[in-house]
Amino acid sequence: MTRLPLMLDVKNLDIQFLNKEDKSWLKAVSDVSFSIGAGKVLGIVGESGSGKSVTSFSIMRLHDPGATKIGGEIDFEEVDLLDLSPEEIRRYRGNKIAMIFQEPMTSLNPVFTCGEQVKEAIILHQKADSQTAKAKTIALFKEVQLPSPEQVFKSYPHQLSGGQKQRVMIAMALSCNPSLLIADEPTTALDVTVQKTILQLLLKLKTERRMAMIFISHDLAVISEIADDVAVMYKGRIVEQGPAAELFRNPQHPYTKGLLACRPSPERLLKTLPVVADFLNENKDMAVAHLLERNSYTPQEIAERRAKLYAEKPLLQVKGLCTWYPVNSGLFGKTKEFVKAVDQVSFDVFPGETLGLVGESGCGKTTLGRSILRLVEPTSGEILFEGRSVTDLNKKDLRSMRRDVQIIFQDPYSSLNPRLTVGNALMEPLQVHKVFDNDLRRKAHVLSLLERVDLKPEHFNRYPHEFSGGQRQRIVIARALALQPKFIICDESVSALDVSVQAQVLNLLRQLQQEFGLTYIFISHDLAVVKHISDRMIVMNKGRIEEEGFPEDIYNHPKAEYTQKLIAAIPGLTALK
């Protein structure tokens, strides 16, 4: 068998960043080595902060040279990229080596159309005239399977869906026919079905163009769908690497075992998800054995829980709920068309239950959650909370009701005021609703909440930007708990987290439910996560309920074609069983 020539060979890579406060150097990557052959995909996997993106940025030489020290070798087609001058590296960057960045919305310029942005890259790198560049852009949009390429050319980023924006970014990366494509978390925030199509598209383009590819992700299940070889990074080092099939079948390093174990599996129902720390602590074998021994629900336990839950009266009843948005006006401003975001939806939620709400972006699940709280006003239908009509409440009574019904938003950073310390952000709802008679008692309550979500008292005086994503999610959970609610709507509350942090937050939500008797609606596009945490599931599509039932029934015997498509799109089902 002929061995393919190496496209990229990284040897003993070390990266340090300058700490501007005390002028010391902080090591981010240590002694990293890997190689990629033409037409092959290397998956680099690890949690946030492991050094994955830092490593890929060094290949592109995107770090600030005045605040970065890079040692080792990065040989691309037998040229050491670290030896090149800034002018020389620009001939490689974008031409022979291209990159798809993690967040397409922040990578695309909002004031230019998508077509103009890709056209500009072609004119810059290929010295093409405007007409030729436009024709090439539209051809690229066709190649990445964008609908109506001519229309997309004229569209602005905000007018496209997440998956469409990601395809525009792929087209831009391919515009100069690179030999090496670096994809940095290109599917993290996408629905599972969109994610699957993007992965299939990347593999198709890689094969047709004979590109080498580095695919970076925190999710081993996604990596299993696309990579030939895998490198696992932890704290700036590669702790394990090898052929993907072999690594998934027989992982050697405790960190790799932890990453594989902590993602919810649709195949089994666990009381508590394993976390990476279980596999890394000194007594890891004992901790993991104990976790697995007592960690699965028995059929009897499930039956007893359901009998207890559904013997109660519903806490929330939704009847024929519609939330429609006008989109087209006719003569004299009369509305002719509506977007039916939520259309004739009915269901009950019982005290202490977790009702999972799953579906793709745009299916209406977030609008439904906000309609229940009347953050979005419903068009018609009825919402009853504890037998009382929410739709008929005046502003004063609605505010009072919201003490009992809270929401955890999808993005914890944007839902926290950057000018307020965490302590003040958590005290604010207590002050608004006049809970406790002074701020001293409110502060004591907030400190106890921080402790309950595994944060420290000193975090009270810090600002949101000083925390990691997982810590910020714990802060917004604490804020939702501040008013001691009965009911919490969790809107995509773990979708952007590393799988290990996601496991910690899911475990925390379940512990809090048991401790405080909480009732949840848990909204997500990830069917595996919803199946893990839910007592019952509802599958939504185009504003309507496709099917509902117990998670194992929906997963094992899906009735709707749409549900079957969602299940088929869950990544890594074969490799990670």
Side-chain angles (χ1 to χ4, degrees):
M1 185 176 174
T2 307
R3 184 176 174 84
L4 293 169
L6 288 181
M7 181 74 66
L8 181 75
D9 192 14
V10 176
K11 301 173 187 173
N12 310 117
L13 184 68
D14 283 285
I15 304 172
Q16 298 179 67
F17 293 121
L18 179 65
N19 183 339
K20 294 181 180 179
E21 291 182 3
D22 61 7
K23 304 301 180 185
S24 62
W25 289 91
L26 305 172
K27 185 162 278 193
V29 170
S30 300
D31 197 27
V32 163
S33 300
F34 58 84
S35 58
I36 314 167
K40 292 292 183 179
V41 180
L42 172 70
I44 301 181
V45 70
E47 299 170 279
S48 298
S50 63
K52 314 183 297 294
S53 295
V54 169
T55 299
S56 66
F57 276 44
S58 69
I59 296 168
M60 297 279 285
R61 294 270 303 274
L62 292 174
H63 296 302
D64 177 3
T68 313
K69 287 181 182 177
I70 304 180
E73 294 179 40
I74 303 176
D75 294 331
F76 175 74
E77 296 180 335
E78 300 182 349
V79 174
D80 189 349
L81 300 178
L82 297 181
D83 289 341
L84 300 180
S85 67
E87 291 75 22
E88 289 171 325
I89 194 66
R90 276 197 286 270
R91 291 201 290 270
Y92 283 83
R93 190 190 296 144
N95 280 324
K96 294 197 168 188
I97 307 172
M99 191 165 189
I100 304 167
F101 293 96
Q102 182 169 356
E103 178 46 68
M105 195 62 204
T106 56
S107 302
L108 291 168
N109 192 323
V111 301
F112 291 101
T113 65
C114 295
E116 287 297 327
Q117 293 184 62
V118 178
K119 190 177 97 171
E120 181 186 32
I122 293 171
I123 291 171
L124 178 67
H125 289 287
Q126 297 188 9
K127 311 302 180 191
D129 61 69
S130 179
Q131 190 173 351
T132 303
K134 181 177 180 179
K136 284 190 174 183
T137 299
I138 291 172
L140 281 166
F141 285 173
K142 287 178 182 174
E143 188 177 6
V144 299
Q145 299 167 14
L146 276 163
S148 307
E150 290 84 0
Q151 184 60 42
V152 172
F153 187 94
K154 297 182 284 187
S155 299
Y156 290 89
H158 73 272
Q159 296 174 302
L160 304 184
S161 70
Q164 288 172 333
K165 284 194 282 279
Q166 199 60 278
R167 288 170 190 268
V168 171
M169 289 298 299
I170 294 169
M172 189 181 295
L174 296 175
S175 62
C176 298
N177 200 25
S179 305
L180 172 65
L181 179 64
I182 302 171
D184 185 8
E185 299 270 13
T187 64
T188 296
L190 301 179
D191 297 328
V192 285
T193 48
V194 179
Q195 174 178 266
K196 188 178 183 75
T197 60
I198 293 293
L199 293 176
Q200 290 171 340
L201 173 64
L202 287 171
L203 281 173
K204 175 176 175 286
L205 295 170
K206 182 266 301 184
T207 302
E208 291 174 353
R209 290 169 170 254
R210 296 282 300 153
M211 292 185 303
M213 191 190 309
I214 297 175
F215 190 97
I216 297 168
S217 178
H218 63 260
D219 192 338
L220 271 167
V222 172
I223 290 286
S224 74
E225 295 277 313
I226 196 167
D228 300 299
D229 299 286
V230 178
V232 181
M233 290 194 72
Y234 177 61
K235 292 186 176 179
R237 294 179 178 273
I238 291 178
V239 295
E240 184 168 4
Q241 63 179 313
E246 184 179 323
L247 187 141
F248 294 132
R249 185 173 59 250
N250 187 26
Q252 297 299 307
H253 196 275
Y255 181 70
T256 312
K257 293 177 182 178
L259 283 181
L260 283 165
C262 66
R263 192 180 192 281
S265 167
E267 305 296 326
R268 53 193 174 145
L269 184 60
L270 300 179
K271 297 176 183 177
T272 304
L273 288 170
V275 296
V276 168
D278 295 325
F279 293 81
L280 294 176
N281 67 32
E282 292 181 8
N283 300 312
K284 59 181 180 293
D285 295 333
M286 188 183 302
V288 172
H290 177 74
L291 195 67
L292 296 176
E293 180 186 351
R294 304 190 176 192
N295 202 20
S296 292
Y297 283 106
T298 65
Q300 184 180 349
E301 286 175 318
I302 294 170
E304 287 174 356
R305 174 170 171 80
R306 287 175 181 170
K308 184 179 178 182
L309 280 176
Y310 304 123
E312 301 285 331
K313 290 182 179 179
L315 181 67
L316 178 79
Q317 295 172 280
V318 176
K319 300 179 180 181
L321 190 68
C322 295
T323 304
W324 297 358
Y325 299 112
V327 291
N328 243 337
S329 295
L331 197 62
F332 308 117
K334 186 176 180 181
T335 301
K336 293 174 65 178
E337 289 184 51
F338 291 90
V339 170
K340 297 180 180 181
V342 177
D343 192 25
Q344 294 295 331
V345 167
S346 301
F347 60 88
D348 295 337
V349 188
F350 294 82
E353 181 184 27
T354 299
L355 178 70
L357 205 55
V358 69
E360 297 171 284
S361 296
C363 73
K365 54 190 190 300
T366 292
T367 303
L368 175 57
R370 295 185 180 207
S371 298
I372 290 168
L373 277 167
R374 282 185 53 195
L375 297 174
V376 173
E377 286 294 341
T379 307
S380 62
E382 193 173 10
I383 303 163
L384 300 174
F385 181 73
E386 294 185 319
R388 189 181 183 190
S389 175
V390 175
T391 40
D392 293 336
L393 294 178
N394 59 34
K395 285 187 179 180
K396 182 181 177 183
D397 291 337
L398 184 60
R399 175 181 283 191
S400 178
M401 185 276 294
R402 285 179 181 156
R403 281 190 59 172
D404 290 327
V405 186
Q406 290 286 300
I407 187 166
I408 301 169
F409 293 102
Q410 180 171 357
D411 181 358
Y413 191 68
S414 63
S415 63
L416 290 168
N417 188 332
R419 297 178 182 177
L420 288 181
T421 64
V422 163
N424 285 330
L426 268 62
M427 282 176 63
E428 188 177 46
L430 300 174
Q431 292 163 338
V432 168
H433 289 276
K434 297 181 171 57
V435 179
F436 304 116
D437 52 13
N438 60 62
D439 280 350
L440 195 62
R441 293 185 63 191
R442 292 180 185 119
K443 182 175 180 179
H445 180 63
V446 167
L447 289 172
S448 71
L449 284 172
L450 289 175
E451 184 180 0
R452 187 59 199 83
V453 298
D454 298 325
L455 293 172
K456 297 176 182 176
E458 55 264 34
H459 291 153
F460 185 94
N461 293 314
R462 294 186 188 172
Y463 289 88
H465 73 273
E466 298 179 84
F467 294 89
S468 69
Q471 288 175 319
R472 284 197 288 265
Q473 198 60 274
R474 291 172 184 273
I475 291 164
V476 296
I477 290 170
R479 187 177 62 181
L481 291 172
L483 296 173
Q484 299 175 324
K486 299 172 183 176
F487 192 104
I488 298 178
I489 297 169
C490 306
D491 185 9
E492 296 278 13
S493 53
V494 298
S495 62
L497 301 178
D498 292 333
V499 286
S500 54
V501 179
Q502 174 182 275
Q504 294 169 22
V505 173
L506 290 172
N507 289 341
L508 174 63
L509 288 170
R510 184 166 274 169
Q511 290 163 14
L512 293 171
Q513 182 176 51
Q514 293 168 356
E515 186 175 334
F516 298 111
L518 296 169
T519 304
Y520 295 139
I521 287 180
F522 190 91
I523 298 170
S524 178
H525 63 259
D526 190 331
L527 196 143
V529 169
V530 172
K531 182 179 182 294
H532 165 75
I533 201 167
S534 301
D535 294 293
R536 283 185 305 133
M537 278 172 52
I538 286 176
V539 180
M540 282 191 73
N541 181 29
K542 296 179 180 176
R544 288 181 170 266
I545 292 176
E546 287 276 346
E547 62 181 296
E548 58 182 300
F550 295 127
E552 69 275 15
D553 294 338
I554 287 180
Y555 179 72
N556 293 323
H557 308 288
K559 296 173 184 174
E561 185 180 341
Y562 177 75
T563 312
Q564 294 167 10
K565 186 178 74 167
L566 280 182
I567 292 169
I570 298 173
L573 281 183
T574 303
L576 302 185
K577 275 186 182 176

